[in-house]
Amino acid sequence: MLTYFDHLLSYHLSLVWAILLHRSREAGSGKMLKVMALGWALFLLTLVCSMVSATEDLNSAGYRVIEINELADGSGIAAHLKLISGCATYGPDLEDLRLIARYEEGGRVHVHITDAFRPRWEIPDSLIPRDRVQHVSVGQSTASIQVSESSFTLAHESYAISSHPLKIIWTKDPFSFAIIRRSNGEILFNTLPEAEGSPHAFNSMVFKDQYLEISTRLPQNSYLYGLGESTSPDGMRLSQGRTYTLWATDIGSWNVDMPLYSMYPFVLDMRKGGTAHGVLLLNSNGMDVEYKKGDSLTFRVIGGVFDFYFFAGPSPMAVVDQYTRLVGRPAPMPYWSLGFHQSRYGYKDIGELETVMAKYEAINFPVESIWSDIDHMDGYRDFTLHPDHYPEERVRSFVKGLHERDQKFVMIIDPGIKIDENYATFTRGRELGVYLKNGTGDGYYIAQVWPGFTHIPDFLHPNALDWWTKELEEFQKTVPYDGLWLDMNEPANFCGGSNCWYDPAVKCTIIDVCCMTCDNHPDVLTRWDNPPYAINGYANKLPIYKNTVAMTAEHYDGSRIYDTHNIYGMTEALATYNALKKISKKRPFVLSRSCFVGSGSHSAHWTGDNGATWTDMKYSIANLLNSGLFGVPMVGADICGFYFETNEELCQRWSQVGAFYPFARSHSDIHTGPQEIYLWKSVTETASNVFNWRYRLLPFFYTLLYEAHQSGAPVARPLFFEYPEDAETWTIDTQFLLGSSILVSPVLERGETSVHAYFPKGIWYNLFDTSKMIRAVDHGVWEHLPAPMDTINVHIRQGSIIPMQDFAMTTTAARKTPFSLLVVFAPASDFAEFCAAPYSIVCQGSDREYATGHIFLDDDIQPTMDITERRASHIKLEASRTDGHYVLRSIVTQPDYAIDQGLVIKTVSVLGVQSQPFSVRVNGRLAAAHVKVTASASLMEISELNLPLGEEFELIWNTMPNGSSSHSS
């Protein structure tokens, strides 16, 4: 990993050696031997210098603890660390560090290390609200701290600490720390290097101004996930022997093994037995994270501080709960965002939008919203309409028609604001001073993007939110859009570096090629654009300023883009979310390309500019599963692909899996042909079928969004989230679960008409043909399933109650239709967690079987998804079966909203039942005469019930007069 200066030194030393050797030959053999000896010394020096850089062997002895104090609240310790010895590689080491290590609520431990005397860059509280260590009171007494020559810890732990699931252990000289699980003593994070000479040794902690390094030892049985965003051909699990670079870049996601649009320095570690814990390095600076084979994980960061949070788990779901409790729970999404969205870069005028919608209407396909890319803009200026292609009156009329049909309109925004004195958005921003400053001189920083030469908003500026709200509000008056799509917000820049200038008279002939003059010779670059350590951006150690704002650009308070680059997209999305909430008084919908940890608390995400290839479709599953892991559960990939020409078979298969993405949008590039669903008969028929089911499952999807908002639980989940004890699930990322109940197993290869799918222990029913089931009685099984071109395999897990409604052409119409419940029973052994408080189920006897589910409803307006009076209702559903006796009951919290909406349960379907009931009772009385009961080989259905959803009910039926068993499962 050589820097430019390493190569320069190596080159000059080699050159000197060659010159000396040449001259020595002319001077005679004696001098020649001496000079050759000198030459060999220079060669060895060159080799050593190269090896030092290549291996990052910094020869640092690390730090020792010279002072320890207990925190005033007894939650941990504060310590002063002193440098033992350092080296000049990547700059001088900081002499003094301050450590705060403390136990926090919610199964969390916090370890924070920074400069002892000078403040360093940290992520602002405005982005991730949290309890900062700068505000922690430090006590004077060390009486409760047990200190030896080698280690120290709290001698007398408070009850709150002793009951914490994690424990912190420190060593004194050299300083290191470990995080241990109390229940079994397992070491989760261990920074102590092994003895010198060990093949598994790593560097002691290094802390320089622009280079931080720390490593943790890993056991052989670790399975790691996280460290995104990238498209990895290896799948969701991190691969040993790889280095993962975290840096937000403007690059198509069809590129593999490169850092993409978002940055998530978060790792989930699965261990033997199915326990999990999480590690978050809350640092926004660029970093490489090296995963050595069977050995260790090393973080190499180019700035900021060590701000580690450790999450105890012990289940993967618990880790995400603890993590999102810190960084922010996923934001509520409006109900309409779950519909199908149509988009394309290249709808040249409003007439084309009208034609597309008319063609969809002709095939009776449910398009919830149509999106407008940069085509609608006048000269690619934000908040404008092209006067010829998208005239205001015609656009307003078009949007009015959409709204009359309960459809939506979403528009794009890029962060670059064109420098134009006749552009009101630009001049208003300048008056408020909300643009990034040029860090190498006076004035505002100038970039080049689609509009040409632009200023870049500083969304950390105190005036930025007011300015942004004003611009969004004024544009809302022009076009009553329903949601906003934030693109290019890494932020992208067609030029790069801190020494670029432009001639205002220059007209760019190719708008996405740099028209500025840039001098990026290493001699003139600052240490911010050319830091001592080069992270592996773009997989080739290209400069970090490539295709983005110069690292020297500054915010209003002097902080540099060098530190804030990776949170820029988050700052724009948060400002947009807050502005829309203020303008519309409704729940906002914001889709952002660039994200950071915590972005899910205000925005959805799509996986960016993917390719129309089979591998891209396959990779999309791991990408959306990772996004859920990072706390951004409302996520999807462009259906049928964005770049390159798609084809009928690919689009048919992609529409099948895309129908089950949390966020389902078709989007394509201007340089490729169109790919709307109606273009191929086979795609139309297949997509109509699967999206019919998606719209029927809307209450199920929406309830999953409620779960995400309450606990961080991903909507789309890897199988190991629900079956962590089944190690077979740990590497599966070509299937996914929706919640805990629906398993999706798509075909992901050209020409295949079957799929090899894994089914964890239990009974799984085919959603589309419930007469078909998979039995995995004692353990999980792999199955080869038929998958004709028009078919995707989707299965329902036993123990589930799936809420559904009728299909309709819009989500607004669908959510007014009657409910149906699909009930699938499971043995009592699968319900141990439900057999005690706070659940009402009482498990009695091994012969009983159970199923559970719930429904969340709200007005789709309030900014949170809470169960509030007259604005939301929550219905918990429980079913039990003992022989031929069945009970289904509901427990309703805040019933008024459901009652006011007039919603009813019309049908209850039970899988695995062969005969009709002899009697059906509703709330203790025989069911009315109009109630219908039917039964087939595997399905019993009670219809025409019309049970008010907002009223608690108990439905009881018996399939045999003597109560004996009559079911097949």
Side-chain angles (χ1 to χ4, degrees):
M1 297 182 175
L2 276 64
T3 65
Y4 170 86
F5 298 104
D6 297 323
H7 287 294
L8 197 63
L9 175 61
S10 176
Y11 170 78
H12 281 121
L13 287 173
S14 302
L15 184 61
V16 169
W17 181 21
I19 293 171
L20 289 173
L21 189 60
H22 174 73
R23 290 183 176 178
S24 70
R25 285 177 177 151
E26 297 177 344
S29 60
K31 284 189 176 181
M32 181 176 178
L33 290 173
K34 292 179 181 179
V35 173
M36 285 183 71
L38 175 61
W40 276 109
L42 286 169
F43 170 76
L44 291 173
L45 178 60
T46 304
L47 182 62
V48 168
C49 289
S50 298
M51 290 177 65
V52 165
S53 293
T55 64
E56 281 86 32
D57 181 5
L58 300 179
N59 297 316
S60 173
Y63 293 80
R64 67 165 57 94
V65 179
I66 62 172
E67 181 183 356
I68 310 165
N69 289 284
E70 185 178 4
L71 299 182
D73 61 2
S75 64
I77 61 102
H80 188 154
L81 311 183
K82 192 75 175 180
L83 181 69
I84 299 172
S85 67
C87 68
T89 307
Y90 306 139
D93 297 77
L94 273 62
E95 292 284 341
D96 298 272
L97 302 178
R98 180 179 187 247
L99 161 76
I100 298 289
R102 59 179 179 168
Y103 298 89
E104 298 184 351
E105 294 180 352
R108 188 171 74 218
V109 159
H110 187 192
V111 176
H112 183 279
I113 304 171
T114 187
D115 192 314
F117 302 118
R118 289 169 293 277
R120 292 179 62 81
W121 166 257
E122 297 190 44
I123 296 163
D125 294 349
S126 60
L127 297 183
I128 301 180
R130 62 200 187 278
D131 188 9
R132 297 287 290 274
V133 296
Q134 288 86 341
H135 307 138
V136 174
S137 298
V138 178
Q140 297 301 313
S141 171
T142 60
S144 66
I145 299 178
Q146 198 173 63
V147 184
S148 68
E149 287 301 313
S150 60
S151 65
F152 58 96
T153 186
L154 292 177
H156 304 290
E157 295 179 333
S158 67
Y159 173 76
I161 292 178
S162 63
S163 62
H164 198 283
L166 301 180
K167 186 172 184 175
I168 317 172
I169 298 294
W170 305 269
T171 61
K172 182 181 178 183
D173 190 0
F175 164 75
S176 68
F177 71 94
I179 307 297
I180 297 174
R181 193 182 298 281
R182 286 183 191 267
S183 62
N184 59 8
E186 184 179 24
I187 300 173
L188 306 183
F189 196 88
N190 179 13
T191 70
L192 179 63
E194 288 186 0
E196 186 176 349
S198 166
H200 304 293
F202 50 69
N203 294 330
S204 297
M205 183 180 74
V206 179
F207 205 119
K208 302 170 183 285
D209 187 30
Q210 287 184 266
Y211 183 80
L212 285 66
E213 180 182 316
I214 196 167
S215 299
T216 176
R217 198 164 310 288
L218 293 170
Q220 290 290 337
N221 62 1
S222 278
Y223 277 58
L224 302 186
Y225 309 87
L227 296 178
E229 176 182 34
S230 67
T231 297
S232 173
D234 297 334
M236 186 178 182
R237 182 192 174 191
L238 302 182
S239 296
Q240 295 180 355
R242 285 188 178 270
T243 296
Y244 294 88
T245 300
L246 277 61
W247 185 252
T249 60
D250 171 25
I251 186 170
S253 58
W254 51 270
N255 291 280
V256 298
D257 286 333
M258 291 188 184
L260 297 177
Y261 317 97
S262 303
M263 181 201 187
Y264 304 106
F266 174 68
V267 177
L268 185 141
D269 187 341
M270 288 287 294
R271 299 282 176 90
K272 185 177 180 180
T275 61
H277 67 276
V279 179
L280 169 66
L281 175 52
L282 194 57
N283 181 306
S284 63
N285 289 87
M287 64 180 77
D288 286 338
V289 186
E290 182 184 6
Y291 186 9
K292 294 182 179 178
K293 291 187 176 180
D295 182 18
S296 62
L297 197 69
T298 297
F299 296 83
R300 298 187 176 96
V301 195
I302 61 173
V305 302
F306 286 129
D307 194 7
F308 279 106
Y309 289 87
F310 303 94
F311 308 99
S315 69
M317 199 73 78
V319 170
V320 175
D321 182 4
Q322 294 152 5
Y323 159 76
T324 56
R325 188 180 302 180
L326 171 71
V327 303
R329 298 296 199 198
M333 292 289 152
Y335 203 95
W336 62 264
S337 67
L338 289 170
F340 172 79
H341 308 277
Q342 177 60 50
S343 179
R344 175 171 168 80
Y345 170 33
Y347 286 143
K348 63 182 182 298
D349 55 36
I350 188 65
E352 196 161 353
L353 293 186
E354 293 168 339
T355 298
V356 167
M357 293 302 285
K359 288 183 177 180
Y360 270 113
E361 186 176 6
I363 64 168
N364 293 315
F365 192 83
V367 178
E368 184 69 17
S369 71
I370 190 160
W371 295 43
S372 182
D373 208 315
I374 57 176
D375 312 282
H376 73 261
M377 297 179 182
D378 182 10
Y380 301 111
R381 297 168 177 85
D382 284 337
F383 315 118
T384 65
L385 295 174
H386 193 285
D388 299 322
H389 302 156
Y390 284 84
E392 180 178 337
E393 289 304 314
R394 192 168 170 188
V395 171
R396 288 179 60 83
S397 175
F398 173 70
V399 176
K400 182 175 182 289
L402 291 176
H403 290 167
E404 289 172 349
R405 297 186 298 273
D406 294 323
Q407 295 169 311
K408 304 294 187 290
F409 190 51
V410 180
M411 307 186 79
I412 198 170
I413 293 178
D414 290 342
I417 303 299
K418 183 174 177 60
I419 301 170
D420 182 350
E421 294 296 333
N422 299 314
Y423 179 30
T425 294
F426 165 74
T427 56
R428 286 192 289 257
R430 186 178 58 189
E431 289 167 5
L432 293 172
V434 297
Y435 300 124
L436 292 174
K437 299 175 182 176
N438 188 350
T440 59
D442 296 331
Y444 295 118
Y445 176 79
I446 298 172
Q448 181 197 325
V449 278
W450 295 114
F453 306 122
T454 63
H455 288 330
I456 306 297
D458 172 8
F459 288 104
L460 293 176
H461 195 290
N463 295 335
L465 180 58
D466 287 344
W467 166 71
W468 199 239
T469 302
K470 171 73 172 177
E471 303 312 314
L472 295 179
E473 188 171 26
E474 289 300 312
F475 194 47
Q476 173 76 211
K477 296 174 183 176
T478 302
V479 183
Y481 56 82
D482 300 283
L484 290 174
W485 166 23
L486 308 181
D487 197 16
M488 307 284 285
N489 59 344
E490 291 70 37
N493 183 7
F494 299 152
C495 301
S498 55
N499 296 292
C500 295
W501 57 94
Y502 80 109
D503 181 350
V506 170
K507 298 281 187 178
C508 294
T509 56
I510 305 176
I511 57 176
D512 58 350
V513 174
C514 182
C515 297
M516 302 175 77
T517 301
C518 297
D519 182 2
N520 290 323
H521 190 277
D523 290 343
V524 298
L525 288 176
T526 69
R527 65 188 181 104
W528 308 112
D529 281 305
N530 186 26
Y533 174 79
I535 62 173
N536 197 28
Y538 292 90
N540 291 300
K541 287 195 172 295
L542 295 178
I544 57 176
Y545 58 75
K546 177 177 170 57
N547 288 4
T548 192
V549 168
M551 300 296 106
T552 52
E554 294 182 352
H555 295 269
Y556 77 100
D557 61 356
S559 55
R560 296 182 183 87
I561 282 290
Y562 180 83
D563 296 305
T564 66
H565 168 82
N566 289 312
I567 59 172
Y568 186 87
M570 183 182 189
T571 67
E572 184 195 26
L574 181 59
T576 305
Y577 180 83
N578 288 332
L580 290 181
K581 194 160 55 172
K582 182 177 180 181
I583 293 166
S584 68
K585 305 296 188 296
K586 295 180 181 179
R587 185 178 300 167
F589 176 75
V590 177
L591 184 80
S592 180
R593 188 168 80 171
S594 183
C595 296
F596 187 71
V597 295
S599 284
S601 64
H602 46 263
S603 56
H605 178 60
W606 90 106
T607 61
D609 297 342
N610 60 2
T613 72
W614 290 90
T615 53
D616 279 86
M617 181 172 65
K618 177 181 177 181
Y619 298 156
S620 75
I621 298 178
N623 289 344
L624 69 94
L625 295 179
N626 271 322
S627 187
L629 171 66
F630 298 135
V632 191
M634 190 58 168
V635 59
D638 287 342
I639 296 172
C640 300
F642 177 76
Y643 281 127
F644 319 131
E645 293 289 343
T646 195
N647 61 76
E648 182 176 359
E649 181 186 356
L650 176 62
C651 207
Q652 186 176 12
R653 288 301 193 189
W654 211 324
S655 67
Q656 292 170 3
V657 63
F660 296 96
Y661 289 159
F663 171 67
R665 183 184 71 160
S666 174
H667 181 51
S668 57
D669 182 38
I670 191 172
H671 301 103
T672 64
Q675 58 189 43
E676 288 79 12
I677 297 296
Y678 52 72
L679 292 175
W680 302 276
K681 182 179 179 181
S682 66
V683 177
T684 299
E685 292 174 351
T686 298
S688 295
N689 181 47
V690 288
F691 276 93
N692 179 295
W693 277 96
R694 179 186 178 89
Y695 274 62
R696 290 182 65 190
L697 287 167
L698 285 174
F700 174 75
F701 272 100
Y702 194 64
T703 300
L704 290 180
L705 290 178
Y706 167 73
E707 291 181 18
H709 181 58
Q710 296 299 316
S711 68
V715 175
R717 303 171 191 174
L719 275 65
F720 72 82
F721 262 55
E722 293 297 326
Y723 297 91
E725 73 290 344
D726 183 352
E728 192 75 13
T729 66
W730 295 7
T731 56
I732 295 174
D733 49 24
T734 53
Q735 300 169 260
F736 60 94
L737 287 162
L738 292 173
S740 61
S741 301
I742 293 181
L743 176 63
V744 182
S745 307
V747 170
L748 301 171
E749 296 182 9
R750 178 190 289 111
E752 291 293 326
T753 55
S754 66
V755 64
H756 190 50
Y758 185 73
F759 292 84
K761 180 182 176 181
I763 297 176
W764 300 82
Y765 287 87
N766 188 302
L767 175 65
F768 310 126
D769 182 355
T770 55
S771 67
K772 298 176 181 177
M773 71 176 75
I774 302 294
R775 291 177 179 271
V777 179
D778 299 318
H779 52 76
V781 297
W782 286 95
E783 294 281 345
H784 275 288
L785 302 175
M789 285 302 304
D790 62 351
T791 301
I792 181 174
N793 279 276
V794 180
H795 289 79
I796 308 165
R797 178 187 182 183
Q798 66 176 34
S800 305
I801 301 178
I802 307 294
M804 296 189 291
Q805 289 177 274
D806 293 343
F807 170 79
M809 291 294 289
T810 64
T811 63
T812 300
R815 68 185 310 201
K816 297 175 182 178
T817 63
F819 276 77
S820 60
L821 304 179
L822 189 58
V823 182
V824 191
F825 285 100
S829 58
D830 289 359
F831 278 82
E833 63 179 297
F834 295 104
C835 297
Y839 300 95
S840 63
I841 285 179
V842 179
C843 297
Q844 298 174 348
S846 60
D847 60 337
R848 283 203 173 192
E849 293 186 321
Y850 296 92
T852 62
H854 64 134
I855 305 169
F856 176 79
L857 309 163
D858 70 359
D859 61 8
D860 200 28
I861 294 175
Q862 55 182 340
T864 61
M865 295 180 85
D866 296 324
I867 306 170
T868 52
E869 185 176 2
R870 306 207 80 86
R871 300 189 68 176
S873 298
H874 183 260
I875 297 92
K876 184 164 63 173
L877 301 163
E878 300 174 350
S880 64
R881 172 167 70 182
T882 307
D883 293 328
H885 181 70
Y886 296 76
V887 179
L888 172 64
R889 64 169 61 92
S890 70
I891 302 164
V892 182
T893 304
Q894 293 295 348
D896 291 343
Y897 177 76
I899 293 172
D900 292 345
Q901 298 303 304
L903 297 171
V904 299
I905 298 174
K906 185 177 181 180
T907 304
V908 172
S909 301
V910 185
L911 299 184
V913 179
Q914 291 181 336
S915 57
Q916 292 190 197
F918 279 78
S919 64
V920 177
R921 290 183 172 271
V922 179
N923 298 327
R925 296 184 178 183
L926 286 173
H930 64 266
V931 173
K932 297 180 181 179
V933 181
T934 58
S936 62
S938 64
L939 179 69
M940 190 276 293
E941 187 172 277
I942 306 174
S943 59
E944 304 301 331
L945 285 165
N946 297 325
L947 301 172
L949 191 63
E951 297 179 9
E952 295 185 353
F953 68 85
E954 184 177 66
L955 183 65
I956 299 176
W957 67 96
N958 292 284
T959 57
M960 293 292 286
N962 60 2
S964 61
S965 177
S966 64
H967 55 269
S968 62
S969 65

